Amino acid sequence: MNTKLARAIRVLIVDDQILAKGYLKYTMEELGFQQISYIDHADEALKLIKSEHFELVVCAYDLREEKEGYFLYEQLKAHKILPLTTAFVFISADTTAEIVHSIVELQPDEFLAKPFSVSELDKRLTRVLTRKQVLKDIYALMDQSDFNGALSELERFLTEPKNAEFFPLALRTKGELLLLCNRVEEAEDFYQAIINVQNFTWAQIGLVRCYLQLNKDDEAERLILRLAFQPDAMLSAYDLLTALQIKQQEFDDALESVNIAAHISPSNVGRHQQAVDLSKITRDYPAQFDAAKRVVRYAKHSFHDKPENYLNVARAGIDFAMTADASETAKLVKQTHDFIRQMKEAFPKAAVDNELKVIDARIYYLQDETDKARNLLSQLDGSEWEQENMDALMDRAKAFHEVGLQDHALAILDEIERRCNTSDEQSELFMHYLKQQKQEKREIADSPKMLNNIAVTQFQRGELDKALTTFRQAFTVMPKNAAIALNLLQTTAAEIRDNTARHTPENKQIIFKCMETLEAATLSEEQDKRYQRVKATISNFD
């Protein structure tokens, strides 16, 4: 370690383990560092970094709470609190695949596995601090969002042979800056030129991003699939595949991809939230409920933790219960109440009275107490809409629709749309979901809970046309529900059997979709027997 450099560096060590902190103090002083501050809480570290400048932060992955160090760095990056000129080094005794993926995903400047020697620490810190010093002018311009200026400075840097040792990092930074400057076609040529010389993973990932922006979807997909087989690129590949599938509105596939990525690196709360959003669009209520619970689990002890997470689990549980049988409904309602209790314990001062009234009203409706549900909803004042977020308003619209107040539900959805049109804060996924909900609530007056019961009654009365219409509506809002898929398949097959002219492309598509749901489901013995009989009938159509 360059002693002069070490003495000039201000260091912040964030670790709550006394022995580890003592060892770090000894090794850092041994290397010549003198300006060292010690903090054992993430909140205190955040305040200190906001108020003082450090050239180096060394942080433990786990502090007093699980992954608290991870969330500290995530917050520093997300809110651009830590300048690029400051080096951030993670240390951890846990080197499981999950931990490593989580840390690497955040791209700290270095990661050290405990225990480490003085010489290892010396080598790593020398490398990262030298790198920061050499590129500090470029990083300073990037911190000021002067990306064109940073790119010009980087081009100058790359012309000087003395900087050759740092060219790999500088070239990677150049690609990122080209994209930040919206010079996408130039970035594409740049990444391709790098790959022609050496097939760096970062260059391949950069090239995929260019392809996505340039609408070269086929090229993007081919390269993503190759990256998915590389261990160091797998996580990025599934994120990119999710983005491509969302762009192409292949939402079922996107949900599968984002869940794979979430399994690889579960600490990323945003990925679980994206799974929630995709589950809503695909109407995969069990997946929505599971993803919402993961948001709560992984957001704890972080800046992501908020009452809305728990409320969204309750809402997802009710959505799921609307499509479930009676025995499962009772379990889901119990879990919903449990998450509400957890929310009250974690956030006792949360102002969520209206949100809880809506949730209680939906539970009353689930329990066939519609009058009680309407009474609770009548206590809500429309003037309070402005104070409620999009998820709360969407839940309110569902509640009014469920108790038969369709016009009121549509008015709330109109208000959501008005807000979205005056703000760019909502994602494309949310806008797609809003459009889907408006169309659904306008065209289908009955709740998911009622539709299947109505259709079964119509079918038993011999009102085949009415039953078909209602089963189709039910399948529209519950496409993953095996019972509804089987009922619709059976009714459609009966219609075609009695009138071969009804073997239309539309009905063929319905049959395909129903069978797709049934093949993926776990059927009861009685359902499986019915399904085999219907399949035998369908096999005679062609």
Side-chain angles (χ1 to χ4, degrees), residues 360-455:
D360 287 340
R362 296 189 71 196
I363 291 173
Y364 277 135
Y365 174 77
L366 270 173
Q367 297 169 337
D368 296 321
E369 297 188 77
T370 304
D371 289 340
K372 286 185 178 181
R374 283 194 176 211
N375 181 52
L376 261 183
L377 293 175
S378 69
Q379 299 173 25
L380 300 173
D381 185 352
S383 64
E384 298 166 343
W385 288 3
E386 289 297 329
Q387 281 71 52
E388 294 191 3
N389 61 40
M390 298 298 196
D391 287 330
L393 285 178
M394 189 68 77
D395 201 46
R396 190 185 284 216
K398 290 178 183 179
F400 278 104
H401 183 266
E402 285 156 4
V403 299
L405 299 174
Q406 186 181 25
D407 289 342
H408 202 136
L410 290 171
I412 296 171
L413 293 174
D414 285 340
E415 168 64 15
I416 296 174
E417 186 174 44
R418 183 195 66 78
R419 282 200 206 175
C420 291
N421 290 336
T422 58
S423 169
D424 58 359
E425 291 183 7
Q426 295 304 317
S427 67
E428 289 184 23
L429 287 179
F430 182 84
M431 295 303 294
H432 186 94
Y433 181 58
L434 173 60
K435 181 180 178 181
Q436 184 187 79
Q437 285 293 302
K438 285 195 73 172
Q439 181 178 352
E440 179 184 303
K441 299 291 187 285
R442 188 182 298 112
E443 295 176 358
I444 303 173
D446 294 299
S447 70
K449 183 172 179 286
M450 292 295 297
L451 285 170
N452 193 49
N453 295 336
I454 294 169

Side-chain angles (χ1 to χ4, degrees), residues 75 91 108 174 275 307 361 374 414 440 445 519 521:
Q75 187 171 6
I91 55 175
K174 178 179 176 178
R374 283 194 176 211
D414 285 340
E440 179 184 303
E519 292 293 338

Side-chain angles (χ1 to χ4, degrees), residues 321-360:
M322 290 287 174
T323 71
D325 59 36
S327 61
E328 196 166 22
T329 295
K331 294 176 185 176
L332 290 166
V333 170
K334 184 177 182 299
Q335 289 186 65
T336 294
H337 283 306
D338 186 51
F339 274 92
I340 294 297
R341 177 188 56 76
Q342 291 181 43
M343 185 272 295
K344 290 178 178 178
E345 290 175 356
F347 302 94
K349 296 181 180 180
V352 291
D353 289 348
N354 284 337
E355 289 92 330
L356 293 177
K357 282 180 183 176
V358 173
I359 288 170
D360 287 340

Side-chain angles (χ1 to χ4, degrees), residues 105-124:
E105 182 179 5
L106 284 182
Q107 297 184 348
D109 295 290
E110 271 293 353
F111 169 56
L112 273 165
K114 297 178 183 177
F116 47 81
S117 64
V118 175
S119 61
E120 179 67 12
L121 183 65
D122 184 8
K123 183 174 74 173
R124 298 288 193 92

Side-chain angles (χ1 to χ4, degrees), residues 139-184:
Y139 288 145
L141 289 167
M142 291 175 70
D143 282 330
Q144 296 165 24
S145 297
D146 183 3
F147 302 124
N148 284 304
L151 187 56
S152 297
E153 181 64 23
L154 188 59
E155 295 284 15
R156 185 198 60 75
F157 181 89
L158 288 167
T159 63
E160 298 183 9
K162 67 178 183 179
N163 298 325
E165 178 187 349
F166 305 98
F167 280 0
L169 176 60
L171 288 169
R172 182 172 183 171
T173 305
K174 178 179 176 178
E176 294 167 359
L177 283 168
L178 285 169
L179 287 174
L180 287 168
C181 293
N182 203 30
R183 292 159 63 172
V184 184

Side-chain angles (χ1 to χ4, degrees), residues 164-366:
E165 178 187 349
F166 305 98
F167 280 0
L169 176 60
L171 288 169
R172 182 172 183 171
T173 305
K174 178 179 176 178
E176 294 167 359
L177 283 168
L178 285 169
L179 287 174
L180 287 168
C181 293
N182 203 30
R183 292 159 63 172
V184 184
E185 291 182 349
E186 192 176 340
E188 178 191 14
D189 292 340
F190 168 77
Y191 282 124
Q192 189 60 67
I194 294 292
I195 291 169
N196 290 340
V197 176
Q198 189 164 345
N199 203 21
F200 288 114
T201 298
W202 59 262
Q204 295 178 70
I205 292 169
L207 186 57
V208 172
R209 292 196 175 105
C210 295
Y211 285 154
L212 290 175
Q213 291 191 49
L214 295 169
N215 295 319
K216 296 184 177 182
D217 292 357
D218 290 341
E219 291 93 329
E221 185 174 21
R222 283 195 294 270
L223 186 48
I224 288 169
L225 293 177
R226 289 205 298 271
L227 286 166
F229 289 97
Q230 300 177 26
D232 64 331
M234 187 182 298
L235 182 59
S236 294
Y238 277 107
D239 280 339
L240 291 166
L241 186 59
T242 302
L244 175 62
Q245 290 162 338
I246 289 173
K247 181 185 176 189
Q248 297 175 335
Q249 298 200 355
E250 296 170 352
F251 297 119
D252 282 293
D253 293 336
L255 177 58
E256 182 179 354
S257 296
V258 78
N259 277 331
I260 292 172
H263 178 73
I264 295 170
S265 180
S267 296
N268 187 307
V269 175
R271 209 173 272 125
H272 298 300
Q273 185 57 55
Q274 191 175 49
V276 172
D277 296 340
L278 286 164
S279 302
K280 290 178 180 178
I281 291 172
T282 58
R283 301 180 178 93
D284 191 334
Y285 303 110
Q288 179 190 345
F289 190 45
D290 287 343
K293 287 190 287 187
R294 293 199 304 271
V295 170
V296 168
R297 175 184 172 188
Y298 289 103
K300 283 183 178 177
H301 315 305
S302 82
F303 68 104
H304 296 291
D305 202 6
K306 54 188 177 181
E308 198 67 21
N309 296 340
Y310 297 82
L311 294 173
N312 282 338
V313 176
R315 293 160 182 157
I318 294 169
D319 288 347
F320 187 7
M322 290 287 174
T323 71
D325 59 36
S327 61
E328 196 166 22
T329 295
K331 294 176 185 176
L332 290 166
V333 170
K334 184 177 182 299
Q335 289 186 65
T336 294
H337 283 306
D338 186 51
F339 274 92
I340 294 297
R341 177 188 56 76
Q342 291 181 43
M343 185 272 295
K344 290 178 178 178
E345 290 175 356
F347 302 94
K349 296 181 180 180
V352 291
D353 289 348
N354 284 337
E355 289 92 330
L356 293 177
K357 282 180 183 176
V358 173
I359 288 170
D360 287 340
R362 296 189 71 196
I363 291 173
Y364 277 135
Y365 174 77
L366 270 173

